[in-house]
Amino acid sequence: VRHYLVLPSKPIDNYFTEFSGITKEMLEHVTVRKTDVQNILRRLIDSTTILVGHSLDSDLKVLHMNHRRNIDTAALYPHAKGLP
């Protein structure tokens, strides 16, 4: 399991904390950049690795990464009200 807070590349106008759970204070001392996370994942993942996560497709898009072997629980267990 990996969890990183990533330094935004642009200023944030609204953190949407009620949905994201992220506050301005949480990011004050963050130094990890998107490229850092990409490099970490490239070292950990190979063609046989299976990734499992919720809305994993969105995470991979944000990271500009593709991976064929993934299980997205958002697709397996859709919300009763449908897609956002």
Side-chain angles (χ1 to χ4, degrees), residues 14 18-19 25-28 33-34 37-38 73 82:
N14 187 333
E18 64 272 20
F19 303 108
E25 294 76 25
M26 291 171 73
L27 295 177
E28 283 180 354
R33 297 186 181 278
K34 180 171 68 173
V37 175
Q38 290 168 326
T73 59

Side-chain angles (χ1 to χ4, degrees), residues 26-79:
M26 291 171 73
L27 295 177
E28 283 180 354
H29 302 290
V30 171
T31 59
V32 176
R33 297 186 181 278
K34 180 171 68 173
T35 54
D36 298 324
V37 175
Q38 290 168 326
N39 290 332
I40 291 166
L41 291 175
R42 285 187 183 112
R43 284 194 303 268
L44 294 173
I45 298 170
D46 65 23
S47 62
T48 63
T49 305
I50 299 172
L51 301 178
V52 180
H54 190 79
S55 297
L56 190 56
D57 186 51
S58 296
D59 295 336
L60 291 172
K61 282 181 186 177
V62 167
L63 289 167
H64 297 106
M65 297 180 78
N66 283 324
H67 190 69
R68 292 182 174 260
R69 298 178 59 117
N70 58 62
I71 300 170
D72 193 330
T73 59
L76 291 175
Y77 307 104
H79 194 277

